[in-house]
Amino acid sequence: MKHFAALFNAIDHSTKTTVKVSALADYFAEAPDMDRMWTMALFSGRRPKRAVTTTKLREWAAEEARIPLWLFEESYPIVGDLAETIALVLPPNETSSDESLSHWINALRALASVEEEDRKAAVLQAWAQLGGTERFVFNKLITGGFRMGVSQKLMTRALSRATDKSEAELAHRLMGNWHPDDTTWEALIEAEDASADASRPYPFYLAYALEDGPDALGAPEDWRAEWKWDGIRGQLILRDGQHFVWSRGEELMTDRFPELARAVDFLPSGTVLDGELLVWHPQTESPASFNALQRRIGRKTVPKKLLAEAPVVLHAYDLLEWEGADMRETPFAERRAVLERACADLPAEAPVRLSPQLDFDSWEDLAEVRSVARDENAEGLMLKRADSPYLVGRKKGDWWKWKLDPLTIDAVMIYAQAGHGRRANLFTDFTFAVWNGNDLVPFTKAYSGLTDAEFREITKWVRKNTLQRFGPVRQVTPHHVFEIAFEGIQASPRHKSGVALRFPRMSRWRQDKPLQEANTLDDLNDMLRIYG
Amino acid sequence: MSSYPALTFTDHGIYCAAGDFYIDPWRPVERALITHGHADHARSGHQSYLATNAALPVMRHRLGEITAQGVPYGDVVTIGDAQVSFHPAGHVPGSAQIRVEVAGEIWVASGDYKTEDDGLSEPFEPQRCHHFITESTFGLPVFRWQPQAQIAREINDWWAACAAAGKTAFLGAYALGKAQRLLTMLNADIGPILTHGAVEATNKVLRAQGIDLPETVHATAEIDPKAYPGALVLAPPSALGSAWARKFGAQENAFASGWMQLRGVRRRRAGDRGFVISDHADWQGLLDTIRETGAENIYVTHGYTDIFTRYLVENGWNAQVVPTEFEGETLDTEGKE
């Protein structure tokens, strides 16, 4: 664990990508196979199952630290991280250990199958043997949620440096269902044929936002445009008569969208589609808004009624594999042509639709098309260079998302709450209200969009203008107006205001705007009527 | 015992009616007794000041023309019906706890304090008393300081690594106290030590009063950064990343503060490194001190007041929160300097 803890420190002590990547590359070059397998697993979100509840961990930590549980609970939000809070309150370690990362991971996985008494003894023993960063890392492993400022992309880059294989190849090898228990470093990284797993997806290509409009992109005829759907990005894999659905976050979603099973009846094996999962209204032959899809998100099994009310269809916009061959190097326009042929004769009951291409002769034309995107339940346009290959990850140049401007409303800050973790001693979580006659009706929370300097300024102001405290929440004097930007609005009986916003954030601090000129509940209801 | 408390808490600050004086008042008063020279404790505008001899030079430097009198540690001064004495608080050079005795009732206002001997400040001496006024800046069990020698090793290792990589090491710390403490911890064999103007000004004041500090070079706008390869620059946190700092080319930034104990806080400051070192007592230091005073009545001022007070009450003390305008150790650059 010392080696891994040193790696963690090297990464944690720098904000520079180059330093992180080279620390990780050195580690990959030197560590034993099992340790590097687990390191790859941890950095790609494959963490060991949680074997101890956090409730128990808190109790044991408070007990060992000889502090009352409430004091632990009060400290936790200030520290902002459970694993860190535990590591800090515990007394210093008595002994040390030279065991490896894999040893400790196996030790904590073994906890799942023993009695609670033994589980506790094992955890206490680990705490007594591990100090400083090692203890923190161990706690991170138990509590799950292992994030430490290294994306999978950086990890892949480091791995590429340590193995002399290309990043794109490694990214592909690391996709899908592998686990350190079932494979080896040799099989996963080194072996010639890495296509053994039928479910393995391709790494997604991600677009950058087009900030200043398309004029700088060159000739319009070099580009293709589609709606940018407001759904769930998904990859549908049809191989060996089976089907698999992957999310962009590399989560296998096959069981969540059972309607896609029928795709095998309409498309040949050896096909991989990239597209958007959307709820489909068969009556109007159009996609529903994101609100409809929200009912399906997070459901591992889908009741029949919901399946009938909110059926999901894949809107295919790219073809990654055809007749078993990797198509990613083929130019987009050619991939699209094959995709169109493949989808040409799909009957209405097929769970796949072709996402249409939009006609335009000039960028002005396209701007007009974009202006009606909300009517299509799209959030803007996608622009794709006709001759571009399908790249790995977020790359500038060939794919752009040209989103609609967000909806905005001017609102009054009425409650403030301190953040946690990085923002532990700043007020960053605010509740906003609009006018209803002479009353202020809260309608949304927001906690992003301001600069650190602005958060510091508002924090000083909150300290001096607190009217009342409700636990961690402070009611403040209504004074500051903020422009709240958001992507969507829907009716919500659970909220006092009757509406819920999608992705609300503070887009501007309207220091110029008097309190009385903030928007009203009527304004909000107008928006609900138009966009809800 | 007198029928009313020797010290009371007013909107001007901590007040002693028997001697008609205030301790670290935050609004202008006639007579102010000052624990130490940090800006939240030694404010301008009072008609007269009383502090330790060792604290006065910095106060004069910061507050300009003031009517001030100095006393040695431990000497008892009679003010009205109050017996007053100053005792080392271990916070920064010259810092004191102020002991006030009125008709046999003993109060101690401790200002800011730390229990570890830093080799620079007069070491902390707990005072027996009936009523103890304590800060609680780091009054949570997650704050536990490591011995200074260990932090010194970490800082010197970091500096040596920066120097080896051809980078200038920028270390952010308060100009009064923390910066000088760090100076005494640095291994000058690694390279030259440069200082920001705010730090150098305080160094000058402290050297003039006989405090021995290692050699430093004032990094003015005129000096040539290239003439100091492998240098460490001590500067207030606000100066890190400034135009002045960027002149030095390739560099690494670090902060030295008790808040660096919290990973999230360090990452928000975007400093590459954080060294956990504070001039305030940690959790155990606060509790040990309170026990050693023997006081039954504890008044908790700046910091995690609510939580710390609740813990004291549960453990049998008669403790209460007292609102003050002291700030303790902040990360906001406008906080103390």
Side-chain angles (χ1 to χ4, degrees), chain B residues 55-126:
Chain B
L56 276 188
V58 162
M59 285 169 56
R60 289 190 196 280
H61 166 69
R62 297 184 152 208
L63 301 175
E65 284 292 311
I66 53 171
T67 307
Q69 196 192 333
V71 286
Y73 284 109
D75 277 16
V76 178
V77 184
T78 303
I79 307 175
D81 293 330
Q83 309 286 310
V84 176
S85 52
F86 289 69
H87 304 272
H91 177 57
V92 296
S95 68
Q97 313 171 69
I98 299 180
R99 180 185 187 275
V100 178
E101 182 170 348
V102 177
E105 183 182 290
I106 303 169
W107 286 67
V108 170
S110 56
D112 292 334
Y113 64 95
K114 76 164 173 290
T115 50
E116 187 186 18
D117 180 0
D118 63 13
L120 180 71
S121 312
E122 303 78 4
F124 180 77
E125 292 175 10

Side-chain angles (χ1 to χ4, degrees), chain A residues 8 12-16 66-68 70-71 74-75 78-79 81 84-85 88-92 136 140 147-149 421-426 452 456 460 463 469, chain B residues 139-144 146 167 251-253 259 261-274 283 304 306-308 310-311 314-315 331-334:
Chain A
F8 182 91
D12 198 46
H13 288 165
S14 182
T15 50
K16 293 178 193 70
R66 295 168 198 271
I67 56 171
W70 70 261
L71 182 54
E74 289 281 356
S75 302
I78 293 164
V79 174
D81 183 287
E84 187 183 351
T85 311
L88 291 175
V89 299
L90 288 171
F136 172 62
K140 275 283 180 203
R147 294 215 320 239
M148 50 188 252
R422 287 165 72 85
R423 308 155 122 198
N425 46 11
L426 288 179
D452 274 4
R456 280 201 290 275
K460 283 174 98 178
R463 290 211 175 104
R469 295 187 190 201
Chain B
L140 288 182
V142 295
F143 295 107
R144 179 188 290 120
Q146 300 300 321
K167 292 177 178 176
Q251 55 192 271
E252 296 243 349
N253 290 337
W259 291 110
Q261 180 84 282
L262 303 185
R263 183 167 171 258
V265 174
R266 176 171 59 72
R267 289 160 67 87
R268 181 166 56 75
R269 292 301 301 203
D272 290 326
R273 281 297 295 271
W283 167 257
Y304 291 105
D306 295 355
I307 298 171
F308 191 59
R310 179 175 167 193
Y311 181 80
E314 277 192 8
N315 284 277
L331 274 173
D332 299 336
T333 46
E334 67 272 27

Side-chain angles (χ1 to χ4, degrees), chain A residues 218-520:
Chain A
E221 54 269 26
D222 294 341
W223 293 84
R224 302 288 178 267
E226 304 158 10
W227 294 121
K228 180 178 185 332
W229 299 114
D230 190 10
I232 301 172
R233 181 95 181 261
Q235 199 176 117
L236 174 63
I237 292 174
L238 306 172
R239 286 181 193 136
D240 305 342
Q242 296 173 279
H243 83 289
F244 306 92
V245 186
W246 289 94
S247 77
R248 212 191 81 181
E250 262 187 80
E251 198 183 348
L252 195 55
M253 308 188 292
T254 313
D255 297 337
R256 296 189 185 191
F257 299 102
E259 51 268 78
L260 293 183
R262 289 208 62 198
V264 298
D265 300 338
F266 304 104
L267 289 161
S269 230
T271 302
V272 176
L273 300 173
D274 183 10
E276 197 94 352
L277 295 163
L278 294 166
V279 168
W280 182 252
H281 284 319
Q283 300 83 4
T284 58
E285 282 283 300
S286 67
S289 75
F290 191 79
N291 303 335
L293 189 60
Q294 217 149 24
R295 300 174 63 197
R296 296 287 303 268
I297 293 176
R299 296 209 72 128
K300 296 226 161 158
T301 55
V302 194
K304 271 213 176 93
K305 183 163 174 284
L306 186 57
L307 211 50
E309 284 170 6
V312 163
V313 160
L314 181 82
H315 278 57
Y317 39 64
D318 213 325
L319 182 69
L320 309 187
E321 187 175 305
W322 181 244
E323 295 171 339
D326 184 345
M327 295 285 286
R328 293 176 299 162
E329 289 299 317
T330 309
F332 175 67
E334 289 175 40
R335 296 201 304 274
R336 173 83 199 182
V338 181
L339 176 68
E340 284 179 6
R341 279 202 302 282
C343 295
D345 302 319
L346 289 178
E349 69 264 33
V352 176
R353 292 272 178 296
L354 184 68
S355 182
Q357 228 160 42
L358 305 168
D359 291 331
F360 64 102
D361 292 323
S362 67
W363 293 129
E364 292 75 36
D365 271 5
L366 193 62
E368 260 183 51
V369 175
R370 170 174 170 263
S371 67
V372 298
R374 252 189 202 108
D375 301 340
E376 301 288 328
N377 279 318
E379 50 180 15
L381 300 178
M382 287 298 304
L383 292 174
K384 299 176 179 177
R385 196 188 289 276
D387 61 2
S388 61
Y390 189 92
L391 300 174
V392 170
R394 204 177 291 282
K395 297 268 163 41
K396 270 199 171 124
D398 291 339
W399 278 27
W400 297 96
K401 47 185 176 190
W402 190 21
K403 287 175 74 163
L404 288 171
D405 296 329
L407 300 166
T408 64
I409 192 156
D410 291 332
V412 181
M413 185 210 286
I414 55 168
Y415 298 109
Q417 189 172 354
H420 52 253
R422 287 165 72 85
R423 308 155 122 198
N425 46 11
L426 288 179
F427 284 94
T428 59
D429 300 9
F430 306 115
T431 301
F432 294 94
V434 283
W435 291 108
N436 185 22
N438 288 325
D439 297 331
L440 283 167
V441 185
F443 70 101
T444 191
K445 287 185 173 192
Y447 43 82
S448 65
L450 298 187
T451 63
D452 274 4
E454 285 174 319
F455 276 129
R456 280 201 290 275
E457 191 181 340
I458 199 76
T459 293
K460 283 174 98 178
W461 183 87
V462 167
R463 290 211 175 104
K464 291 195 182 119
N465 292 279
T466 298
L467 298 176
Q468 256 197 94
R469 295 187 190 201
F470 308 95
V473 179
R474 293 176 181 223
Q475 185 184 8
V476 298
T477 316
H479 177 75
H480 286 297
V481 177
F482 287 82
E483 180 184 89
I484 306 296
F486 53 98
E487 300 300 324
I489 182 168
Q490 68 178 111
S492 166
R494 289 194 324 205
H495 291 80
K496 204 173 185 178
S497 59
V499 301
L501 305 187
R502 185 142 189 260
F503 294 143
R505 68 265 182 194
M506 293 166 273
S507 48
R508 263 196 305 167
W509 186 351
R510 297 297 304 263
Q511 308 232 35
D512 57 313
K513 196 146 209 184
L515 182 63
Q516 291 73 22
E517 288 178 25
N519 282 104
T520 64

